[in-house]
Amino acid sequence: MTMPIPGSERFASRPVDPEELAAALPESLPLHEVTQEQIDGLDPLTYEVIRHRLWSVTEEMGEALQRMSGSPIVTDANDFDFAICDEVGQEVQVGLYNTMLVGAVDLAIYWTLRNRAQNPGIREGDMFLCNDPWVGGGLHQNDVIVFQPVFHDGKLFAWTSAICHEPDLGGVGLGSFSPAAQDVFSEALPTPPVKVVRDFRLQDDVADLWVRRSRVPMLVSLDLRAKVGANTVGRKRLHEVIEQYGADTVKAVMKRMMSDAESRLRDKLRTLPDGTWKATGYQDQSHEGDRGVHRIAVAMTKSDDRLTFDFTGTDPQAGVINCTYAGMRGGVMLALLPMLAQDIPWSAGGLMRCFDLISEEGTINNATYPAAVGRGPIGPAWLTGTLVAECLSQMLDCSPDLGKSVQAACCGTWDTAVVAGLDQRGDVPVPFLNIMMEPMAGGYGARPTFDGMDTGGLFCIPMGRIPDVEMTEFLYPLLTLWRREEPDSGGPGRQRGGVSASLAVALYGSEVPAGLVFASAGKAVSQNGGLAGGYPGNTGLEVLVRGADVHGALASGRIPQSVEDFGGEAEIAPCYAQSYLAPGEVLYMNWQGGGGYGDPLRRDPEAVAHDVREFKVTAEAASDVYGVVLREGDVDDGATVERRRSLTARRRDRSEPVTAVSAQVDLATARRIDDNLVVSGSIVGCAHCGQQLADTGTDSTLALLRYDGPVTDAGPQIVSDPADYVDDEIVFRQLSCPGCLTAMYSGVVPKAHVDHVAEVSRFVSAGVSGG
């Protein structure tokens, strides 16, 4: 664990009280404000027209950045976002791109108002640049924000911002990922807010200082100018709206947008039971050479119209798997926006008033300076969002109306592979650096009534895309051997998780080895867990095929279809590593699908047969995991009944015995908790057979059968061996009803994992004991 550096706490940004912040600003920075009467006096038609105009401003800013940027990270993957904020930085309207960034933009503006208003001052025509994740704006140093104050009649009216991930900003590792980093000094330099534009002119000295650090300075320079251009578009369009409708009216709409979002979310929360729900997840390995498992824990408490997310118990910061407070907050927003606010305009400044965060500093999702945070967004922040989504799903599953928003975990992380070397295809060799963007095609988690979307994208980037193969081969000396969906990669369940995909690439047009950096997770411990007994999706896997002869195979007319087809020696890549890719060798990546929902033995056999025909599930998995027997592609009903009976009996035989009460729950009058559980008075029972599982007045845990076995028992989607990555014992754990053997929980977890699903206290605190 790194030791905090004295004075670094000045750069730690946190949410502020808007009124206190406004009162603390110097007289030289007057604010444009409106009264509550002006806000309440808006007519509905004007409000809706201006609200949609502000939405269109952010959309146009996004289009401007995409047109000007030359980076596939922006043009293809849509790893960027925008915001319009009010005069003190509260987010009024955000983009539909990387939603994790929503949790960080306002923090940078708060910090700038507190620390830059006097010196060097905040004036019309300024723009600030920042990539300091402790300040905010982004979640790690590669997230670079350019934001500007917008003035009207000499008063600070609003802020606009544009932010995107940069391919490289220096540091030890390619793409600024340093797998061995123990502190931030091995990574890209964090830069607190600095004026990059004055009097509407880009400052060449600051711009040169900025791009000098990068291995790809032309791309970084172009992105800088693209963000300046996008902010310019935002300022001009905002002034046009002000000119048409008046400054006070536009500001009143901005304030009303936030208060409406807040009130609608609070109204929704009031319809849900009060209670506390818990989730725990893990990062396998913290840096190159590490073989540990590192925990993030969250307890979500809902009380009336407010949520509290308590991360007490999370492990201390370690290696590169840390994020700052901004990352933790971004992880919460990653889950909250699509699950609780999917039918509410994303006026994030209002939505964020509805929850509190409790976290110990110096932990892996609230790291203190100078921790290494290069893995922040796609490691601890992402896992934070997955765990928050699990808690929200448990809460929403209790509601007949809102249960449709329940969703098992989507792909649990981003598998990062950075390839950099020498492009020798032209007359003059030139360096290249490419972050493989194909893992954008992750599988979505299953829902109670729908399968997860196959290769549907990333939960945090609703408008994300994978790059075009031909464009990748045009830009870089790489040959794509295949990019395809992988059967069995979606988590088995009554509703199946979305499948993921794999990629095989080789150098083509470079005769010297390329450098390679890996940064990933979810290899030993699943990060794409299921819900209500659904199984996790596939574990990730990266392989380097050494000694392969790709060019020889292609020259002979043979197209390899698997890793084994390449010949050579398969070298399994750790979660974090620095390596190389030599000419003729192959990089294979298989990233994660979504988790399943419900017991796979309860899936409609015809749906399984359809999955087999569509190559989403293999016939072997249909039999071994779903208990469905096929004959020439059709379901053999009799054999399927017998197969499922056999698999159910196997669950009983392999599980630890449990003392179960013989009493039954009246299913006709009981209330639903999730796909498998009901409650009647103080009694919790199985929703399928009525078996009593607990009396919340006397029991401490649900009376469930428990099985811990090899991870391969979870199914063929477990494609990696935990022993290749960590020293902790990792098991497939399944908790089942002792009456009908329905799976209540299925996961690939450390043996020491605490099963929150079996805690009776969650039913008591959820207010369900009253029937």
Side-chain angles (χ1 to χ4, degrees):
M1 178 178 174
T2 56
M3 297 299 293
I5 293 179
S8 61
E9 62 274 5
R10 173 172 173 258
F11 297 94
S13 185
R14 294 290 188 272
V16 297
D17 180 275
E19 294 183 2
E20 292 181 4
L21 178 59
L25 295 175
E27 293 182 0
S28 60
L29 186 62
L31 303 178
H32 179 278
E33 299 175 300
V34 292
T35 65
Q36 189 61 47
E37 288 75 16
Q38 289 174 297
I39 299 172
D40 294 340
L42 287 167
D43 71 87
L45 180 59
T46 300
Y47 172 65
E48 287 298 325
V49 169
I50 297 177
R51 180 173 73 84
H52 282 83
R53 283 287 297 274
L54 294 176
W55 189 341
S56 71
V57 171
T58 59
E59 290 297 298
E60 190 170 348
M61 290 175 68
E63 292 172 3
L65 178 57
Q66 285 186 303
R67 290 194 185 104
M68 289 184 277
S69 173
S71 170
I73 296 170
V74 174
T75 59
D76 288 342
N78 284 344
D79 188 358
F80 63 91
D81 211 15
F82 298 87
I84 296 175
C85 302
D86 71 0
E87 71 278 6
V88 292
Q90 300 178 100
E91 293 172 78
V92 175
Q93 180 64 56
V94 300
L96 300 177
Y97 301 98
N98 187 336
T99 56
M100 277 196 290
L101 298 171
V102 170
V105 169
D106 58 337
L107 298 178
I109 299 174
Y110 299 152
W111 192 95
T112 301
L113 286 167
R114 284 191 304 241
N115 294 278
R116 296 290 187 259
Q118 294 278 12
N119 181 8
I122 299 172
R123 300 178 178 86
E124 188 170 8
D126 287 345
M127 290 190 195
F128 293 86
L129 177 150
C130 175
N131 79 322
D132 189 329
W134 283 273
V135 167
L139 311 186
H140 62 168
Q141 298 93 305
N142 287 69
D143 292 333
V144 182
I145 185 172
V146 174
F147 55 105
Q148 68 169 346
V150 177
F151 286 80
H152 176 74
D153 287 343
K155 293 183 178 181
L156 179 57
F157 182 86
W159 296 79
T160 71
S161 63
I163 181 172
C164 72
H165 179 100
E166 295 297 342
D168 184 277
L169 291 173
V172 173
L174 302 173
S176 302
F177 287 103
S178 178
Q182 293 297 300
D183 55 46
V184 74
F185 302 110
S186 296
E187 300 181 327
L189 176 69
T191 303
V194 58
K195 281 191 186 182
V196 70
V197 172
R198 293 175 187 262
D199 297 325
F200 304 108
R201 292 189 63 184
L202 183 68
Q203 302 299 288
D204 288 342
D205 55 350
V206 178
D208 289 345
L209 180 100
W210 176 249
V211 302
R212 182 68 169 164
R213 68 187 68 192
S214 177
R215 294 172 176 86
V216 285
M218 293 182 67
L219 270 180
V220 172
S221 178
L222 187 58
D223 273 352
L224 171 60
R225 286 158 174 80
K227 282 177 277 196
V228 170
N231 274 289
T232 300
V233 168
R235 183 184 69 250
K236 290 181 177 179
R237 295 295 178 263
L238 195 54
H239 276 303
E240 290 171 1
V241 179
I242 293 171
E243 183 178 349
Q244 182 174 357
Y245 295 99
D248 288 354
T249 301
V250 175
K251 178 58 66 67
V253 169
M254 294 167 70
K255 299 293 187 181
R256 173 79 172 274
M257 288 170 66
M258 290 187 287
S259 62
D260 278 1
E262 177 187 5
S263 62
R264 289 177 64 177
L265 180 55
R266 290 188 185 279
D267 288 345
K268 183 178 291 189
L269 288 171
R270 290 190 189 99
T271 68
L272 293 162
D274 288 349
T276 298
W277 294 266
K278 299 177 182 179
T280 301
Y282 305 89
Q283 302 266 286
D284 34 15
Q285 302 185 356
S286 67
H287 63 278
E288 191 173 24
D290 179 47
R291 291 184 57 82
V293 173
H294 307 267
R295 179 181 67 250
I296 294 180
V298 59
M300 183 191 78
T301 298
K302 183 262 168 181
S303 179
D304 190 28
D305 63 354
R306 193 163 191 84
L307 294 169
T308 299
F309 299 98
D310 187 346
F311 295 94
T312 302
T314 296
D315 281 352
Q317 60 195 52
V320 299
I321 59 165
N322 311 297
C323 68
T324 66
Y325 178 90
M328 175 177 62
R329 195 162 172 252
V332 172
M333 293 303 289
L334 178 161
L336 186 143
L337 288 173
M339 298 191 71
L340 274 182
Q342 80 281 4
D343 56 351
I344 301 173
W346 286 1
S347 191
L351 298 173
M352 287 190 281
R353 297 170 188 165
C354 301
F355 65 80
D356 298 306
L357 301 179
I358 299 173
S359 176
E360 302 163 291
E361 292 191 347
T363 50
I364 59 178
N365 67 349
N366 189 6
T368 53
Y369 189 84
V373 293
R375 181 69 182 166
I378 42 185
W382 198 310
L383 179 56
T384 294
T386 298
L387 298 176
V388 168
E390 182 178 337
C391 291
L392 290 173
S393 288
Q394 292 178 62
M395 176 180 70
L396 291 169
D397 230 351
C398 301
S399 168
D401 296 327
L402 300 178
K404 61 181 181 295
S405 298
V406 169
Q407 187 169 28
C410 297
C411 56
T413 186
W414 172 283
D415 278 17
T416 302
V418 183
V419 184
L422 197 62
D423 187 346
Q424 297 175 303
R425 293 175 297 174
D427 295 334
V428 179
V430 293
F432 79 93
L433 185 147
N434 180 39
I435 300 176
M436 306 302 296
M437 305 303 292
E438 274 73 11
M440 287 290 300
Y444 263 55
R447 301 168 69 177
T449 55
F450 297 100
D451 291 343
M453 286 188 292
D454 300 316
T455 55
L458 304 181
F459 204 40
C460 62
I461 307 182
M463 297 177 66
R465 301 178 301 180
I466 56 175
D468 181 86
V469 167
E470 285 75 15
M471 183 57 67
T472 298
E473 295 180 342
F474 172 76
L475 293 172
Y476 310 110
L478 296 172
L479 176 65
T480 300
L481 301 164
W482 73 68
R483 188 173 74 184
R484 65 191 184 207
E485 289 188 340
E486 289 292 341
D488 296 334
S489 54
R494 182 177 62 77
Q495 301 296 148
R496 175 182 54 77
V499 302
S500 70
S502 70
L503 170 78
V505 296
L507 288 176
Y508 187 81
S510 182
E511 301 303 320
V512 295
L516 185 60
V517 166
F518 290 112
S520 61
K523 302 294 193 289
V525 182
S526 291
Q527 292 190 312
N528 49 355
L531 285 174
Y535 290 24
N538 64 313
T539 49
L541 180 66
E542 272 80 59
V543 174
L544 288 166
V545 185
R546 303 295 191 195
D549 184 9
V550 171
H551 304 303
L554 295 177
S556 67
R558 182 172 61 88
I559 301 178
Q561 296 297 308
S562 67
V563 170
E564 293 74 21
D565 283 352
F566 292 115
E569 180 181 351
E571 177 184 302
I572 296 175
C575 294
Y576 299 94
Q578 301 177 76
S579 189
Y580 66 91
L581 180 65
E585 297 182 338
V586 177
L587 166 62
Y588 169 81
M589 300 180 69
N590 182 9
W591 51 91
Q592 297 178 31
Y597 184 93
D599 189 337
L601 294 184
R602 291 187 172 273
R603 183 165 176 77
D604 181 356
E606 291 298 335
V608 177
H610 180 267
D611 284 343
V612 173
R613 288 192 293 269
E614 294 294 316
F615 303 101
K616 310 296 185 182
V617 172
T618 61
E620 292 76 16
S623 174
D624 296 342
V625 181
Y626 290 96
V628 174
V629 180
L630 304 176
R631 306 293 184 200
E632 297 182 352
D634 295 324
V635 177
D636 184 326
D637 294 329
T640 293
V641 170
E642 288 302 316
R643 181 61 174 156
R644 288 187 164 181
R645 184 179 293 124
S646 172
L647 292 175
T648 299
R650 181 169 178 259
R651 284 183 183 175
R652 184 186 300 278
D653 294 341
R654 72 187 185 184
S655 299
E656 297 176 4
V658 63
T659 301
V661 179
S662 59
Q664 294 290 112
V665 176
D666 183 357
L667 296 180
T669 59
R671 197 166 87 191
R672 182 185 190 276
I673 296 299
D674 64 17
D675 209 48
N676 302 315
L677 297 170
V678 294
V679 63
S680 179
S682 64
I683 305 301
V684 179
C686 174
H688 307 291
C689 69
Q691 168 74 51
Q692 177 176 322
L693 302 175
D695 183 335
T696 58
T698 59
D699 297 336
S700 59
T701 59
L702 297 181
L704 299 174
L705 296 173
R706 170 170 163 164
Y707 170 70
D708 282 357
V711 296
T712 51
D713 281 358
Q717 76 274 22
I718 306 303
V719 295
S720 54
D721 183 351
D724 289 332
Y725 305 94
V726 300
D727 293 328
D728 291 59
E729 184 179 1
I730 310 299
V731 299
F732 171 59
R733 176 167 299 166
Q734 191 161 63
L735 305 178
S736 305
C737 170
C740 63
L741 282 299
T742 296
M744 305 282 176
Y745 170 82
S746 307
V748 173
V749 294
K751 193 171 180 63
H753 175 71
V754 176
D755 302 305
H756 302 300
V757 71
E759 294 177 355
V760 168
S761 59
R762 72 188 181 105
F763 302 104
V764 177
S765 63
V768 299
S769 59

